Amino acid sequence: MDDRFQRQYFPLFTAPEAAPDADPDGDTFNNHSEYIAGTNPTNALSLLKIDSVVLNTNGSTLAWESAAGKRYQVFSRLDLDNALWQAVGAPVTAAGASTAFTDASATNGFRFYRVQALP
Ligand SMILES: [Ca+2]
């Protein structure tokens, strides 16, 4: 993990709460995960999660909180027991604090999504 990330958020970057596996804001994402996602490790409301999925005539549009310049990959699967996660399209680079992505193949039916921040 980059020391600059720790120095940005913690007064003492060698403190226990600044450790990569610590989760000082209690949002279940440890500091290393927040570093990868570009989220704030001291704010429990700042985390990588899908905020909305809207089905429309163009497909399903997902939106999530993002960090400008970070790259994300969307995955989907048809069910949680048997199907494998499959990448949907190419990675997208966030332009700002929120990113939307439309899965044009998802115009009907039920599926699950996840968004991964790429290192
Ligand atoms: Ca955290």
Side-chain angles (χ1 to χ4, degrees):
M1 200 164 75
D2 193 325
D3 284 358
R4 287 173 295 185
F5 177 80
Q6 291 164 297
R7 290 177 196 274
Q8 179 181 354
Y9 291 106
F10 301 100
L12 184 61
F13 82 103
T14 53
E17 65 269 24
D21 59 354
D23 178 18
D25 60 6
D27 63 4
T28 76
F29 286 75
N30 66 29
N31 291 336
H32 185 256
S33 295
E34 304 237 26
Y35 166 65
I36 297 293
T39 51
N40 182 337
T42 62
N43 179 350
L45 298 178
S46 174
L47 58 125
L48 177 58
K49 66 176 175 58
I50 295 172
D51 290 324
S52 64
V53 180
V54 177
L55 179 64
N56 53 49
T57 55
N58 298 324
S60 294
T61 299
L62 292 70
W64 63 91
E65 182 183 337
S66 58
K70 280 276 177 192
R71 293 167 65 241
Y72 300 86
Q73 177 67 56
V74 173
F75 293 85
S76 75
R77 66 199 287 186
L78 295 176
D79 71 70
L80 291 176
D81 292 327
N82 300 310
L84 296 173
W85 287 110
Q86 303 213 319
V88 182
V92 292
T93 300
S98 180
T99 296
F101 176 88
T102 298
D103 177 2
S105 69
T107 53
N108 56 31
F110 193 79
R111 63 191 71 199
F112 297 89
Y113 286 102
R114 76 177 184 186
V115 174
Q116 179 179 11
L118 301 177

